Amino acid sequence: MNLIEILGLGAAVLTTAANIPQTIKVIRTRSTKSLSWATYAMLFTGMALWTVYGVLRDDIPVILANIVAGTLCGIILFMKLYSMYQNRESAKHQDF
């Protein structure tokens, strides 16, 4: 493994690991109130595109980092959208 690959793997580990605390917090608290759905939708889409790019370039660090980070981001996005749906449904039932 050369220096460039080590640098790429280091960057991949750090940027991927940065998603872990937020994901754990969202799962534990079940609260996504302060999170932007648009931000997580863009992040998720970007990570999916980076994964495709990594596959096309045969770049393992890019592929692995974005699959893991995209999964974490996808969990948060799902929970945010589900929370928005639940809030909308409960608001409908309060009108009666």
Side-chain angles (χ1 to χ4, degrees):
M1 190 176 304
N2 64 35
L3 183 59
I4 293 173
E5 289 174 334
I6 293 170
L7 181 66
L9 284 171
V13 167
L14 291 174
T15 56
T16 300
N19 291 293
I20 295 171
Q22 187 69 61
T23 305
I24 290 170
K25 184 176 181 180
V26 166
I27 291 170
R28 282 187 181 161
T29 65
R30 301 275 191 244
S31 175
T32 59
K33 185 183 266 188
S34 65
L35 300 178
S36 164
W37 71 267
T39 297
Y40 279 91
M42 288 187 289
L43 282 169
F44 182 77
T45 303
M47 290 173 192
L49 293 172
W50 272 115
T51 301
V52 171
Y53 172 84
V55 168
L56 294 173
R57 303 272 307 188
D58 197 29
D59 191 332
I60 299 299
V62 171
I63 296 167
L64 294 178
N66 285 286
I67 285 174
V68 173
T71 300
L72 296 171
C73 183
I75 290 168
I76 293 171
L77 178 60
F78 172 80
M79 292 184 75
K80 176 64 177 180
L81 295 175
Y82 183 74
S83 174
M84 289 169 57
Y85 172 78
Q86 291 289 79
N87 290 340
R88 193 177 82 212
E89 288 298 310
S90 68
K92 284 182 185 178
H93 296 295
Q94 290 177 359
D95 290 340
F96 291 106

